[in-house]
Structures are given as structure tokens and as C-alpha cells.
Amino acid sequence: MPTLNKNLQNLFAMAQKPAKLGIGLMSGTSLDGLDIALCRFMGNGLNTRFELLEFTTIPYKEHFKQEVHEIFSRRLVDLEKITLLNAFIGTFHGELVLEALAKWNIQPDKVDFIASHGQTIYHAPKRLHQQAEYPNATLQIGDGDHLAVKTGILTISDFRQKHIAAGGEGAPLALYGDVLLAGKPGEDRILLNIGGIANLTYLPADSDHSKVVCTDIGPGNTLIDAACREYFNKPYDKDSKIAVTGLVNDQLLEALLDHPFFKEKAPKTTGPELFNLTYLEDAKQVSGIKDITPEDVISTLSAFTAKSIANFISANLPVDCRIFASGGGARNPFVINCLKHLLPQAIIADTNELGIDPDAKEAILFALLGNEALCGEPIHIGNNPVVLMGKFSFPL
């Protein structure tokens, strides 16, 4: 009688282990670097327990950022460059994983799996592309087979594709990890991630999964970062040093907020394909703002991020929630102070209070999705697809 091949035998044995070591990888739209989280998981689903053992962000060099920017969020790009970068990034991320493991003095064969988000280069929900014959779509590159072969570690990747195939928009996927790790009976909670795009998960006090809301809200850091590169030749506004020197232009702010996306019903997704410097220029035209200092632009864009978040929460969720922020925007004092002013009844902190490093949160969540792919079962949460996500790449 035929037997399972070695890869499937190892996979079956791994799924039975009471504790697993998994690495979560996250490379966001800000292109700061690769977040690498080494986690230990016990159990699965609502019984999941985890421990963050190690975390690091390995910064990307400028040349690599420029290579990705050539194909990032652009409708027309060099197809050869996409093909080459898909293979290159898979191997490159593998090299960075091995670098981190060597730093932590951990042998690769001690790690059970890698869960890789990949590098998003284009996000195309139907509401954005508006082509009736085509469905929602998204594309992340950084081939899982290259990553698995380079590291010798089972790699799970392409999580967003199953979500779309099952009727979702491929984002935000934080929902699943937030529900498994962060709910608390008796307390309304919002887990707010301010990455390139701002998204949140609302966890109701009564733990009723049918009431959970998870959605993109609007721009997080993507417009602020783009303007910092354009006007100041800086990758981002560190510690809000630029924003605090400018003034918010109310006319421009209102024009930025006046877009159909903000009136659409959640859940919804978006990306830099919409919120980019062209969006800013269009808002300047509509508002009649011609002469505005670069500092005022950064202040206004920072207020735009905070205002769009506060508007969504005020219109859709309890305003006296406890809000736990993560992502790069959680370290932006201007944005956080604006949120506190706009949502005075809320208690705003970061995810450290949940025992989750705010910088590591998304990498942790993808590691958790990898654990679920190995030994979990689909969970019904609100109107979200009931699926397990991820494609398996064996090292041999």
C-alpha cells in the first residue's frame, strides 16, 4: 500500500506536536524592513496560547526599496521586473531569516515553520478597479518555494489569496489573530493598526463573534511617508518632528475626507493605489489650496489619518472603547494626540498592555495564521470568509 511521502509525514507529525516554533514575517507597504517574529504556539483556535520568543526588524537598504517602488502600486509596470523580484525577494527574505536565527543562536532545524506575508505590490478590490467581469484581487510577491529552499524550513505563504477566493477582499487579516488573542469578556476593545493603511478590529464585550468588525479605515502612514519623501527626502516623519512645526489646513483636510471610500459600508479594503500623492494633489485642486508649506502638508496629512480613524469609530463603534494601537503610527505622537482629542471618551494605549509588542504584532499574527493552517479549523467570525489560509512550500 502506498505511504505518505517524507514531506507529508513530517507535516502530519508537526501538526500533532503540543508546541510549535513558528516564524512570522511581515513586510508592509512602508518598506521599512522585514519584521521577523519567533513564536511558540500551544493549541489552536480559541484555545491558542503563544509566547513571543524573539523579534527583530531588519531594515531594507535604499537600493532594494527603490527596486520595489518601481513596481509598487502602479497599474503599468515592467513584467520582467515583477518576475525577477518575486524570486529574489523569496530568497532574500530567507537570507534575513537565517541572519536573525544566527543572531539568536537558534538552528533552522529547530523551527517548525515560517509564515510569510510576502511583499504586497498591488491591491485591487473590485470597488477600486470597477471592472465588472473581474473579482477582487491582490498580489504579494516573495515566492514561498524560494524561501523554503533557502532556509530549509517549511514555509506557508500567500494567505490573502484564499480569503479572496472565498469571497473576501484579502484584507485585513488581523481579524483572525485579534479574535484569538485579544478579546476580553466585559470590555469593548478596538485593536487599531496604523501601518501604511489604518485598519481595526472591534471585539465586543459580550464576545459575540457575529458583532466583530474588522476593516480598513483609510490611510495610516502611507500618505505622510510619501509626502515626507517628496518634500523632505525623508522616509517618514520621525517623532512627528515635521508635523508639529506646521499647521493643519482645514480646507484641505475637508477635501481629503470627501471621498466615497469613507462612506462605504465596512468591511472594506484599500491601499496606496488610492491614497497616494495624486490623491493629495486632487484634494488641493478641489479645495483651491495652491500655496501651502510642506510642513503644513505633513500636519494636514497627519490630521487626515487621525480624523478618518476617529470618524469611523464615532459613526460605527462604541466611543468609550479601550483602543490598543500598533504599527508605525502608534509611535506618531501627532496622530495619537489627535486621536485622544477626537475620541475623549476612549482609553488609548498600545498593544504592550496586551503583552504584544506593537511593532511585532502583524508578524505575530501571520505566525498565528501559519499555526492555524497546520492544526486549526475554520472559525466563523461575523460575515468574514470561514477558511484556513496559506499555501505550503516544502524545503525539499
Side-chain angles (χ1 to χ4, degrees), residues 87-109:
F88 175 82
I89 290 174
T91 299
F92 176 49
H93 281 183
E95 292 170 351
L96 297 185
V97 168
L98 294 176
E99 179 183 328
L101 289 173
K103 175 183 174 182
W104 300 330
N105 198 28
I106 296 172
Q107 295 299 314
D109 62 6

Short mmCIF file of all heavy atoms in Angstrom, two decimals, residues 87-109:
data_model
loop_
_atom_site.label_atom_id
_atom_site.label_comp_id
_atom_site.label_asym_id
_atom_site.label_seq_id
_atom_site.Cartn_x
_atom_site.Cartn_y
_atom_site.Cartn_z
N ALA A 87 11.11 36.04 -7.33
CA ALA A 87 12.10 35.03 -6.93
C ALA A 87 13.14 35.63 -5.98
O ALA A 87 13.49 35.02 -4.96
CB ALA A 87 12.79 34.48 -8.18
N PHE A 88 13.60 36.83 -6.30
CA PHE A 88 14.65 37.45 -5.48
C PHE A 88 14.20 37.67 -4.05
O PHE A 88 14.94 37.37 -3.10
CB PHE A 88 15.08 38.78 -6.11
CG PHE A 88 16.08 39.54 -5.28
CD1 PHE A 88 17.43 39.23 -5.34
CD2 PHE A 88 15.67 40.54 -4.41
CE1 PHE A 88 18.35 39.91 -4.55
CE2 PHE A 88 16.57 41.23 -3.62
CZ PHE A 88 17.92 40.91 -3.70
N ILE A 89 13.00 38.21 -3.87
CA ILE A 89 12.53 38.53 -2.52
C ILE A 89 12.35 37.26 -1.70
O ILE A 89 12.65 37.25 -0.50
CB ILE A 89 11.23 39.35 -2.58
CG1 ILE A 89 11.53 40.76 -3.11
CG2 ILE A 89 10.56 39.45 -1.21
CD1 ILE A 89 10.30 41.62 -3.34
N GLY A 90 11.88 36.17 -2.32
CA GLY A 90 11.76 34.92 -1.58
C GLY A 90 13.10 34.48 -1.01
O GLY A 90 13.22 34.15 0.18
N THR A 91 14.14 34.50 -1.85
CA THR A 91 15.49 34.11 -1.38
C THR A 91 16.05 35.15 -0.40
O THR A 91 16.65 34.79 0.62
CB THR A 91 16.43 33.97 -2.58
OG1 THR A 91 15.93 32.94 -3.44
CG2 THR A 91 17.84 33.60 -2.13
N PHE A 92 15.84 36.42 -0.70
CA PHE A 92 16.34 37.50 0.16
C PHE A 92 15.74 37.41 1.56
O PHE A 92 16.44 37.50 2.57
CB PHE A 92 16.02 38.84 -0.49
CG PHE A 92 16.38 40.05 0.32
CD1 PHE A 92 17.63 40.19 0.91
CD2 PHE A 92 15.46 41.08 0.48
CE1 PHE A 92 17.95 41.32 1.64
CE2 PHE A 92 15.78 42.21 1.21
CZ PHE A 92 17.02 42.33 1.80
N HIS A 93 14.43 37.22 1.66
CA HIS A 93 13.80 37.07 2.96
C HIS A 93 14.33 35.83 3.68
O HIS A 93 14.47 35.84 4.91
CB HIS A 93 12.28 37.00 2.80
CG HIS A 93 11.64 38.34 2.58
ND1 HIS A 93 10.28 38.52 2.47
CD2 HIS A 93 12.19 39.59 2.46
CE1 HIS A 93 10.02 39.80 2.28
NE2 HIS A 93 11.16 40.47 2.27
N GLY A 94 14.62 34.77 2.92
CA GLY A 94 15.23 33.59 3.53
C GLY A 94 16.58 33.91 4.14
O GLY A 94 16.90 33.46 5.25
N GLU A 95 17.37 34.72 3.45
CA GLU A 95 18.68 35.11 3.98
C GLU A 95 18.52 35.92 5.27
O GLU A 95 19.29 35.73 6.22
CB GLU A 95 19.43 35.93 2.93
CG GLU A 95 19.85 35.13 1.71
CD GLU A 95 20.38 36.00 0.59
OE1 GLU A 95 20.25 37.25 0.70
OE2 GLU A 95 20.90 35.45 -0.40
N LEU A 96 17.52 36.80 5.30
CA LEU A 96 17.30 37.61 6.50
C LEU A 96 16.82 36.75 7.67
O LEU A 96 17.20 37.00 8.82
CB LEU A 96 16.29 38.72 6.21
CG LEU A 96 16.71 39.75 5.15
CD1 LEU A 96 15.68 40.87 5.05
CD2 LEU A 96 18.09 40.34 5.44
N VAL A 97 16.02 35.74 7.38
CA VAL A 97 15.60 34.81 8.44
C VAL A 97 16.81 34.08 9.01
O VAL A 97 16.97 33.97 10.24
CB VAL A 97 14.57 33.79 7.90
CG1 VAL A 97 14.36 32.65 8.90
CG2 VAL A 97 13.24 34.48 7.63
N LEU A 98 17.68 33.59 8.15
CA LEU A 98 18.88 32.89 8.62
C LEU A 98 19.79 33.83 9.41
O LEU A 98 20.40 33.42 10.41
CB LEU A 98 19.64 32.30 7.43
CG LEU A 98 18.91 31.18 6.67
CD1 LEU A 98 19.74 30.74 5.46
CD2 LEU A 98 18.65 29.98 7.58
N GLU A 99 19.86 35.08 9.00
CA GLU A 99 20.65 36.08 9.74
C GLU A 99 20.09 36.27 11.15
O GLU A 99 20.85 36.32 12.13
CB GLU A 99 20.63 37.40 8.97
CG GLU A 99 21.39 38.54 9.64
CD GLU A 99 21.27 39.84 8.87
OE1 GLU A 99 21.17 39.80 7.63
OE2 GLU A 99 21.25 40.92 9.51
N ALA A 100 18.77 36.36 11.25
CA ALA A 100 18.14 36.54 12.56
C ALA A 100 18.34 35.32 13.44
O ALA A 100 18.66 35.43 14.64
CB ALA A 100 16.65 36.83 12.39
N LEU A 101 18.18 34.13 12.87
CA LEU A 101 18.35 32.90 13.65
C LEU A 101 19.79 32.77 14.16
O LEU A 101 20.01 32.34 15.31
CB LEU A 101 17.97 31.68 12.81
CG LEU A 101 16.46 31.51 12.52
CD1 LEU A 101 16.23 30.36 11.54
CD2 LEU A 101 15.68 31.27 13.82
N ALA A 102 20.75 33.14 13.33
CA ALA A 102 22.15 33.08 13.76
C ALA A 102 22.38 34.06 14.92
O ALA A 102 23.07 33.73 15.90
CB ALA A 102 23.07 33.41 12.59
N LYS A 103 21.78 35.24 14.83
CA LYS A 103 21.90 36.23 15.90
C LYS A 103 21.31 35.69 17.21
O LYS A 103 21.83 35.95 18.30
CB LYS A 103 21.19 37.51 15.48
CG LYS A 103 21.12 38.60 16.55
CD LYS A 103 20.33 39.79 16.04
CE LYS A 103 20.12 40.83 17.13
NZ LYS A 103 19.30 41.98 16.66
N TRP A 104 20.21 34.93 17.09
CA TRP A 104 19.54 34.38 18.27
C TRP A 104 20.13 33.04 18.70
O TRP A 104 19.64 32.44 19.68
CB TRP A 104 18.04 34.21 17.99
CG TRP A 104 17.33 35.48 17.65
CD1 TRP A 104 17.64 36.74 18.07
CD2 TRP A 104 16.19 35.63 16.78
NE1 TRP A 104 16.76 37.66 17.54
CE2 TRP A 104 15.86 37.02 16.75
CE3 TRP A 104 15.41 34.73 16.04
CZ2 TRP A 104 14.78 37.50 16.00
CZ3 TRP A 104 14.34 35.23 15.29
CH2 TRP A 104 14.04 36.59 15.27
N ASN A 105 21.13 32.57 17.95
CA ASN A 105 21.78 31.28 18.26
C ASN A 105 20.78 30.12 18.23
O ASN A 105 20.76 29.25 19.10
CB ASN A 105 22.48 31.34 19.63
CG ASN A 105 23.50 30.22 19.81
OD1 ASN A 105 24.09 29.74 18.82
ND2 ASN A 105 23.72 29.80 21.05
N ILE A 106 19.94 30.12 17.20
CA ILE A 106 18.94 29.07 17.01
C ILE A 106 19.17 28.40 15.66
O ILE A 106 19.28 29.08 14.63
CB ILE A 106 17.52 29.65 17.07
CG1 ILE A 106 17.24 30.23 18.46
CG2 ILE A 106 16.47 28.59 16.72
CD1 ILE A 106 15.94 31.00 18.55
N GLN A 107 19.27 27.10 15.65
CA GLN A 107 19.45 26.36 14.42
C GLN A 107 18.14 26.31 13.63
O GLN A 107 17.07 26.12 14.21
CB GLN A 107 19.93 24.94 14.72
CG GLN A 107 21.30 24.86 15.35
CD GLN A 107 22.38 25.46 14.45
OE1 GLN A 107 22.42 25.18 13.25
NE2 GLN A 107 23.22 26.30 15.04
N PRO A 108 18.21 26.45 12.30
CA PRO A 108 16.99 26.43 11.50
C PRO A 108 16.16 25.16 11.68
O PRO A 108 14.92 25.23 11.60
CB PRO A 108 17.51 26.55 10.06
CG PRO A 108 18.81 27.28 10.19
CD PRO A 108 19.40 26.79 11.48
N ASP A 109 16.81 24.02 11.93
CA ASP A 109 16.04 22.78 12.04
C ASP A 109 15.23 22.70 13.35
O ASP A 109 14.45 21.76 13.55
CB ASP A 109 16.94 21.55 11.89
CG ASP A 109 18.03 21.45 12.96
OD1 ASP A 109 18.04 22.26 13.92
OD2 ASP A 109 18.87 20.54 12.85
#
